[in-house]
C-alpha cells in the first residue's frame, strides 16, 4: 500500500484537478448529464458485462435470470474475502498485543485456516490462495517491524493504524445518479481514492466502473473524488500484482454516464438485442442464452 500512496501523491502533484468539470461531478445530479435520463437504476457491474450486444442486461432485468457464478467470478470473490479476513485477523492480533513481525509470522504463516475455509467455500485452488495469504502475512509482519522501529513507543492503536491501509468498504446509495441503492466499493481514505481489487484480465471497463462509483460517492457526500486505483492480482505459482492509478477525468465520466443511460433505456424498452456471433464462455449467462432456449 505504501507504494500506492507514493504513486498517488505523484499523480496528485502532476494533476490539475480543477480540470474536472463540476457539471460532471456526482453532486450535479439534479441536472444533465449527471441527472439520469430515466428513473430506472442499474448496478455499476452492468458496465463490466462481457456481452457485445448487451444481452446480459436483457437477461438480467427482463427475463430476471440469476447469473451463475463461473470460476472467474469465484476467484474474485475468494480473493476479496482472503484479503479482508487476513488483514482483519492480523489487525486483531495487533490489538491483542502483538508488537513484532516474528509474532505475526509464528501465529499466522503456518496456520492455514483462512485460505482453507475460503477454498472449501468457493472451490478455488487452495495453493493459489495460500500464496496470496502468505504474501499478506509477510507484508504485514514486515510493516509492523518497520512501524515499531520508527516509532518505538507506539501503542496497539498506533501500530494498527500505521501498518494497515485505512481502506473502508464503503456503502453508497447510488439512486440520485441512476445507480443501485446498495453499492459497495473500497475507499482508501487519506486521499479520497476509490480502489478495487481484480483477479481477471485488465479491462478499460473497470476504469468506467470506478468512474461510476466516484460519481455516486460525490452525489452522496458532496465531495470530490479525483483518483481511481485498480489492483490486479494474478494467482498461481508466482503471485503477481499490477497496479493502475488514474485520474477520473471528464472523458471517463462522460463515457460512464452515456453507457448508464443507454443501459437504462434498454431496460425500459424491454427489447431483446439478440445474441452476438459468439458468446464468451466466461459470461455469467452462458447457460441461459445457449442451453435453456432463451
Ligand atoms: S451468453 Fe452470450 S448472448 Fe447471453 S449475455 Fe452472455 S454473451 Fe450475451
Amino acid at each position: 500500500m505504501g507504494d500506492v500512496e507514493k504513486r498517488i501523491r505523484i499523480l496528485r502533484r502532476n494533476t490539475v484537478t480543477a480540470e474536472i468539470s463540476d457539471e460532471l461531478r456526482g453532486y450535479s445530479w439534479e441536472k444533465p448529464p449527471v441527472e439520469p435520463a430515466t428513473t430506472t437504476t442499474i448496478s455499476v457491474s452492468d458496465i463490466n458485462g462481457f456481452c457485445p450486444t448487451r444481452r446480459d442486461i436483457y437477461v438480467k432485468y427482463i427475463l430476471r435470470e440469476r447469473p451463475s457464478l463461473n470460476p472467474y467470478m469465484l476467484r474474485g470473490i475468494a480473493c476479496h474475502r482472503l484479503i479482508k479476513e487476513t488483514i482483519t485477523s492480523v489487525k486483531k492480533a495487533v490489538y491483542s498485543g502483538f508488537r513484532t513481525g516474528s509474532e505475526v509470522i509464528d501465529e499466522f504463516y503456518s496456520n492455514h485456516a483462512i485460505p482453507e475455509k475460503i477454498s472449501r467455500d468457493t472451490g478455488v485452488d487452495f495453493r493459489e490462495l495460500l500464496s496470496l495469504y502468505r504474501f499478506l502475512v509477510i507484508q504485514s509482519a514486515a510493516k509492523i517491524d518497520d512501524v515499531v522501529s520508527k516509532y518505538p513507543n507506539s501503542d496497539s492503536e498506533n501500530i494498527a493504524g500505521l501498518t494497515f491501509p485505512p481502506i473502508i468498504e464503503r456503502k453508497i446509495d447510488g439512486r440520485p445518479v441512476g445507480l443501485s441503492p446498495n453499492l459497495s466499493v473500497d475507499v482508501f481514505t487519506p486521499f479520497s481514492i476509490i480502489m478495487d481489487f481484480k483477479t481477471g484480465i485488465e479491462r478499460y471497463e473497470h476504469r468506467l466502473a470506478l468512474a461510476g462509483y466516484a460519481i455516486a460517492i460525490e452525489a452522496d457526500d458532496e465531495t470530490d473524488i479525483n483518483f481511481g486505483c485498480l489492483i490486479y492480482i494474478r494467482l498461481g505459482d508466482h503471485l503477481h500484482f499490477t497496479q493502475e492509478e488514474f485520474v477520473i477525468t471528464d472523458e471517463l465520466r462522460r463515457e460512464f454516464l452515456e453507457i448508464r443511460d443507454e443501459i437504462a433505456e434498454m431496460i425500459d424498452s424491454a427489447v431483446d438485442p439478440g445474441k452476438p456471433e459468439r458468446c464468451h464462455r466466461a459470461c455469467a449467462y452462458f447457460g441461459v442464452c445457449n442451453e435453456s432456449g432463451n
Side-chain angles (χ1 to χ4, degrees):
M1 274 310 301
D3 196 28
V4 173
E5 285 177 38
K6 264 183 228 141
R7 288 162 69 161
I8 291 282
R9 272 196 203 115
I10 293 166
L11 196 63
R12 177 184 287 252
R13 223 174 287 135
N14 297 338
T15 305
V16 185
T17 51
E19 282 174 8
I20 299 173
S21 313
D22 272 1
E23 57 158 25
L24 293 166
R25 298 275 195 191
Y27 44 73
S28 301
W29 56 271
E30 282 177 309
K31 47 187 187 301
V34 177
E35 183 187 27
T38 88
T39 52
T40 300
T41 58
I42 65 164
S43 48
V44 174
S45 59
D46 294 333
I47 305 282
N48 289 334
F50 279 107
C51 186
T53 61
R54 291 204 188 282
R55 191 168 197 259
D56 52 338
I57 302 299
Y58 173 79
V59 172
K60 176 179 172 185
Y61 290 95
I62 309 301
L63 301 185
R64 297 194 167 275
E65 293 281 354
R66 289 187 161 276
S68 55
L69 290 177
N70 59 39
Y72 302 96
M73 294 156 98
L74 287 167
R75 276 179 151 214
I77 292 167
C79 271
H80 271 95
R81 244 185 89 182
L82 187 80
I83 292 167
K84 194 172 169 188
E85 290 182 23
T86 307
I87 290 184
T88 305
S89 299
V90 180
K91 216 174 185 175
K92 272 190 196 152
V94 170
Y95 280 117
S96 76
F98 284 28
R99 288 187 60 84
T100 65
S102 63
E103 283 174 291
V104 170
I105 297 284
D106 288 348
E107 177 71 19
F108 292 96
Y109 193 80
S110 300
N111 175 353
H112 303 160
I114 294 175
E116 267 168 7
K117 168 110 182 43
I118 296 174
S119 173
R120 261 199 315 276
D121 292 348
T122 60
V124 175
D125 187 87
F126 166 70
R127 283 159 311 162
E128 293 190 355
L129 293 178
L130 182 63
S131 63
L132 176 58
Y133 170 76
R134 286 186 160 165
F135 172 84
L136 293 168
V137 169
I138 291 168
Q139 292 295 315
S140 304
K143 185 75 186 178
I144 288 170
D145 283 342
D146 210 30
V147 168
V148 174
S149 75
K150 205 166 167 190
Y151 307 105
N153 298 322
S154 305
D155 59 14
S156 306
E157 187 72 42
N158 297 139
I159 299 171
L162 292 166
T163 299
F164 302 102
I167 291 177
I168 52 164
E169 200 179 65
R170 170 68 202 271
K171 303 288 175 208
I172 319 157
D173 179 358
R175 283 176 296 185
V177 292
L179 300 171
S180 324
N182 49 1
L183 304 174
S184 175
V185 68
D186 293 327
V187 179
F188 184 39
T189 48
F191 304 110
S192 293
I193 297 162
I194 48 174
M195 301 182 65
D196 205 1
F197 296 101
K198 296 281 175 198
T199 45
I201 49 166
E202 291 155 40
R203 294 177 64 208
Y204 174 69
E205 286 80 359
H206 296 153
R207 291 189 176 215
L208 291 176
L210 277 193
Y213 285 121
I215 289 171
I217 295 177
E218 288 172 345
D220 221 12
D221 288 0
E222 300 273 328
T223 189
D224 288 353
I225 301 285
N226 298 325
F227 304 102
C229 177
L230 289 163
I231 299 179
Y232 289 92
I233 304 168
R234 304 262 179 287
L235 294 176
D237 291 341
H238 302 288
L239 191 63
H240 185 258
F241 294 90
T242 317
Q243 220 166 270
E244 289 181 8
E245 305 88 12
F246 53 93
V247 178
I248 301 174
T249 58
D250 279 5
E251 289 71 29
L252 274 178
R253 289 162 183 270
R254 255 193 216 100
E255 201 173 340
F256 168 79
L257 294 168
E258 276 167 22
I259 297 172
R260 174 203 65 182
D261 289 343
E262 191 185 307
I263 291 174
E265 278 159 18
M266 276 182 77
I267 297 168
D268 291 348
S269 76
V271 173
D272 183 350
K275 297 181 201 174
E277 263 181 41
R278 199 167 293 147
C279 291
H280 199 301
R281 260 280 167 195
C283 179
Y285 297 108
F286 192 89
V288 177
C289 297
N290 295 286
E291 287 153 17
S292 73
N294 276 310

